[in-house]
Amino acid sequence: MACQGLAKGETIHTLKVESESLKAKLEEERGKLHDVELHQVAEKIEALGQFVMKTRRTLKGHGNKVLCMDWCRDKRRIVSSSQDGKVIVWDAYTTNKEHAVTMPCTWVMACAYAPSGCAVACGGLDNKCSVYPLSLDKNENLAAKKKSVAMHTNYLSSCSFTNSDMQILTSSGDGTCALWDVESGQLLQSFHGHSADVLSLDLAPSETGNTFVSGVRSSKLHLYYPCGDAFATGSDDATCRLYDLRADREVAIYSKDSIIFGASSVDFSLSGRLLFAGHNDYTINVWDVLKGTRVAILFGHENRVSTVRVSPDGTAFCSGSWDNTLRIWA
């Protein structure tokens, strides 16, 4: 029965031999692109000077672990989701809460701001991605205007609008990613390939927004380099890694013997020179992407740092933690 799909003259053995041959050719082609190491290219580049960042604002209001956050493109507002079942929209300047929604489940693992700033999306253990339109009326009942857009067969782990409010990309514990039409809730495209829970996704920074990366359990989060030609991962093995799509390989590892706790979230500075990594030992490590050296360790959180995101204008970044707070750093 297993051989019914084989062509004439083919056997499982011949297919395995062909597969190994193709794999060897692929590695050979990769080797041709591996002509220089990143640290060699960066030898003549001037090292970064003294690097100082401090907590400028602390956002308090969640009653349990902060699991996700996202910036609005207005560079001022933030949406966050938590294990307390709440989604909060904040003014990062004043620390005021502008909107708060109580979800029908705890562990709201994903949230995202729409490009227009007029809606937020969220979801978690309810297996759904819900979109809430926002208005200037802070007393408006947002729950009454909720629209269920996506439905997975397991928990929703991440969501991200494309370059418009009309489509949203989701990832799930069911091992898939999916693209949905926000207005109709119709599934536009399903992406299969992972054999484990998909925990994260990130869209390439392009006008079309038609390329994305996704990560499973061991590599917690992928974030694209600003030019879109590379991406970084943070992992349970306490390392961060940089991959170049043009070379089709890993080009740098950011690690130190003293760092023994996993990295749960990463993001690049606007220029791409810095990599921020939130760790399970309550710290945020800041790396020089080109030199491969750590330029700062940021302290302040009192529990695991679950999410870090640089603001759209690059002047600050926000971190969320299992200590129930978010911090704005600059």
Side-chain angles (χ1 to χ4, degrees):
M1 294 295 292
C3 297
Q4 282 185 350
L6 298 178
K8 186 177 180 180
E10 284 184 334
T11 65
I12 296 295
H13 175 70
T14 60
L15 291 177
K16 283 184 177 180
V17 171
E18 183 181 358
S19 173
E20 292 300 319
S21 174
L22 291 172
K23 189 184 296 184
K25 289 180 180 178
L26 178 61
E27 290 301 320
E28 183 181 346
E29 292 302 314
R30 279 180 171 172
K32 293 177 182 177
L33 296 173
H34 187 185
D35 54 351
V36 65
E37 298 289 344
L38 181 62
H39 68 85
Q40 294 174 317
V41 177
E43 281 180 356
K44 296 180 180 179
I45 295 175
E46 187 175 346
L48 294 172
Q50 187 177 11
F51 185 83
V52 178
M53 293 193 85
K54 298 179 180 178
T55 299
R56 308 296 178 176
R57 301 283 191 277
T58 301
L59 309 182
K60 297 180 179 180
H62 281 296
N64 213 318
K65 302 168 183 175
V66 176
L67 302 176
C68 185
M69 62 78 49
D70 192 25
W71 287 90
C72 179
R73 289 189 181 180
D74 68 4
K75 312 161 195 172
R76 176 164 183 161
R77 287 169 179 81
I78 287 171
V79 62
S80 62
S81 61
S82 167
Q83 189 182 340
D84 64 7
K86 287 185 170 57
V87 177
I88 298 176
V89 174
W90 311 79
D91 184 324
Y93 290 3
T94 65
T95 73
N96 291 337
K97 304 172 191 66
E98 295 197 346
H99 302 280
V101 178
T102 300
M103 294 287 287
C105 68
T106 57
W107 284 89
V108 188
M109 302 171 68
C111 63
Y113 237 115
S116 68
C118 296
V120 294
C122 56
L125 291 186
D126 58 354
N127 300 0
K128 299 177 183 177
C129 181
S130 301
V131 174
Y132 294 85
L134 303 177
S135 72
L136 297 176
D137 183 4
K138 297 182 181 179
N139 297 317
E140 184 178 26
N141 181 10
L142 295 183
K145 305 181 79 173
K146 179 180 77 169
K147 179 183 291 186
S148 293
V149 173
M151 174 62 81
H152 283 274
T153 58
N154 209 324
Y155 64 88
L156 185 85
S157 58
S158 185
C159 61
S160 179
F161 285 90
T162 59
N163 285 330
S164 78
D165 291 17
M166 303 312 297
Q167 293 184 351
I168 194 164
L169 189 65
T170 60
S171 64
S172 170
D174 63 16
T176 70
C177 298
L179 181 66
W180 309 83
D181 179 82
V182 172
E183 186 64 31
S184 66
Q186 182 180 356
L187 175 64
L188 301 176
Q189 182 72 51
S190 185
F191 303 91
H192 301 263
H194 289 295
S195 58
D197 299 17
V198 184
L199 294 186
S200 56
L201 60 82
D202 189 50
L203 280 158
S206 66
E207 292 183 4
T208 56
N210 59 1
T211 303
F212 72 96
V213 288
S214 57
V216 293
R217 187 169 300 278
S218 59
S219 295
K220 288 294 183 68
L221 192 66
H222 295 66
L223 258 298
Y224 263 103
Y225 197 71
C227 66
D229 291 328
F231 64 89
T233 65
S235 174
D236 284 344
D237 66 6
T239 69
C240 296
R241 296 167 187 259
L242 181 67
Y243 297 84
D244 192 303
L245 299 178
R246 297 160 298 184
D248 192 30
R249 70 178 187 91
E250 175 189 294
V251 293
I253 301 176
Y254 307 97
S255 65
K256 290 179 73 70
D257 290 341
S258 58
I259 302 176
I260 59 174
F261 289 87
S264 55
S265 182
V266 293
D267 200 7
F268 289 105
S269 64
L270 201 62
S271 68
R273 181 68 187 269
L274 297 173
L275 179 66
F276 301 93
H279 284 260
N280 297 342
D281 62 355
Y282 317 168
T283 66
I284 299 167
N285 288 305
V286 187
W287 299 91
D288 182 330
V289 172
L290 299 181
K291 296 285 190 180
T293 57
R294 183 170 63 180
V295 295
I297 312 175
L298 306 181
F299 301 91
H301 283 296
E302 298 175 1
N303 207 322
R304 176 185 299 192
V305 179
S306 52
T307 177
V308 292
R309 294 296 295 269
V310 173
S311 65
D313 62 358
T315 59
F317 78 91
C318 180
S319 59
S321 168
W322 282 18
D323 65 9
N324 307 356
T325 71
L326 298 103
R327 287 174 176 256
I328 310 295
W329 307 77

